């Protein structure tokens, strides 16, 4: 029957080696880094990503404008059979809208699946009147923030665990070398009586 004694590396005993104490302190440091360090890295990465995504969204909102346009082009004969959201089935067609003081304009834009000729759609254009995707909304900014934060925390935890594995391997080699030295010193006393 095997009995585990918890905390033996922290208490003094004649079998405890210096490498055991170092390994105990390293295990404590790894626990602190995993419980506090990795979430802190994730939070910092998330805050940085949030600021970046908000500034990109603000720039895109300033450069892009939405118009309510009417579909004037034809719809494709067959849409792709892939299931998904409206963007998965979006297709390009001609749309027309009226600009006050400038008259009617026509451009090629992506419209959602199921749109027919004569339907009104919201279309986004840049300053050169090229059809573009809408700027990211607050939900997209927060999704980006959470994703980057989770990836940052996961990467930090992976680095800590990888480092811990390397340190344990080095500690094991060092411990085995210590045991070999001890056996070289005490081994002859054990085998002398048998010869």
């Amino acid at each position: 029957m095997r009995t585990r004694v918890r905390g033996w590396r922290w208490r003094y005993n004649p079998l405890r080696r210096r490498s055991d104490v170092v390994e105990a302190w390293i295990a404590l440091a790894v626990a602190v880094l995993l419980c506090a360090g990795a979430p802190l890295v994730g939070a910092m990465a998330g805050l940085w990503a949030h600021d970046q995504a908000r500034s990109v969204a603000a720039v895109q909102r300033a450069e892009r404008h939405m118009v309510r346009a009417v579909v004037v082009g034809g719809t494709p004969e067959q849409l792709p059979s892939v299931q998904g959201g409206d963007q998965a089935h979006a297709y390009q067609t001609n749309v027309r809208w009226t600009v006050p003081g400038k008259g009617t304009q026509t451009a090629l834009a992506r419209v959602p699946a199921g749109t027919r000729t004569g339907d009104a759609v919201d279309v986004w254009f840049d300053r050169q009147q090229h059809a573009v995707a809408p700027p990211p909304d607050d939900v997209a900014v927060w999704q980006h923030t959470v994703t980057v934060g989770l990836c940052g925390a996961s990467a930090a935890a992976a680095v800590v665990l990888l480092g811990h594995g390397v340190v344990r391997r080095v500690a094991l080699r060092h411990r085995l070398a210590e045991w070999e030295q001890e056996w070289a010193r005490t081994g002859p006393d054990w085998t002398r009586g048998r010869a």
Side-chain angles (χ1 to χ4, degrees), residues 25-95:
W25 279 105
I26 288 173
L28 179 65
V30 165
V32 168
L33 287 174
L34 286 177
C35 293
L40 184 62
V41 168
M44 297 301 290
L47 287 173
W48 174 82
H50 184 72
D51 290 342
Q52 294 295 319
R54 278 183 48 202
S55 63
V56 166
V59 167
Q60 287 184 0
R61 279 189 211 106
E63 292 175 346
R64 299 174 182 186
H65 62 280
M66 183 185 74
V67 296
R68 188 79 174 157
V70 176
V71 176
V72 293
T75 59
E77 293 295 323
Q78 285 187 337
L79 291 176
S81 61
V82 178
Q83 297 296 322
D86 287 342
Q87 289 301 324
H89 295 285
Y91 61 93
Q92 287 192 340
T93 189
N94 288 319
V95 295

Side-chain angles (χ1 to χ4, degrees), residues 23-190:
E23 192 172 341
W25 279 105
I26 288 173
L28 179 65
V30 165
V32 168
L33 287 174
L34 286 177
C35 293
L40 184 62
V41 168
M44 297 301 290
L47 287 173
W48 174 82
H50 184 72
D51 290 342
Q52 294 295 319
R54 278 183 48 202
S55 63
V56 166
V59 167
Q60 287 184 0
R61 279 189 211 106
E63 292 175 346
R64 299 174 182 186
H65 62 280
M66 183 185 74
V67 296
R68 188 79 174 157
V70 176
V71 176
V72 293
T75 59
E77 293 295 323
Q78 285 187 337
L79 291 176
S81 61
V82 178
Q83 297 296 322
D86 287 342
Q87 289 301 324
H89 295 285
Y91 61 93
Q92 287 192 340
T93 189
N94 288 319
V95 295
R96 183 180 303 144
W97 70 98
T98 304
V99 179
K102 292 186 179 177
T104 332
Q105 294 187 352
T106 304
L108 192 63
R110 291 185 72 79
V111 297
T115 306
R116 305 282 180 230
T117 303
D119 288 350
V121 293
D122 293 329
V123 183
W124 288 83
F125 292 98
D126 60 9
R127 291 182 179 158
Q128 290 79 29
Q129 296 303 320
H130 296 117
V132 292
D137 58 357
D138 288 340
V139 173
V141 168
W142 278 107
Q143 286 174 342
H144 178 72
T145 301
V146 170
T147 302
V148 171
L150 288 175
C151 288
S154 300
V159 167
V160 168
L161 291 175
L162 182 65
H164 182 243
V166 169
V167 168
R168 284 198 59 167
R169 182 172 286 235
V170 169
L172 178 63
R173 286 184 183 169
H174 185 67
R175 187 179 308 120
L176 290 175
E178 284 179 342
W179 286 347
E180 287 293 329
Q181 289 173 356
E182 286 290 324
W183 182 250
R185 191 168 50 88
T186 59
D189 292 340
W190 285 78

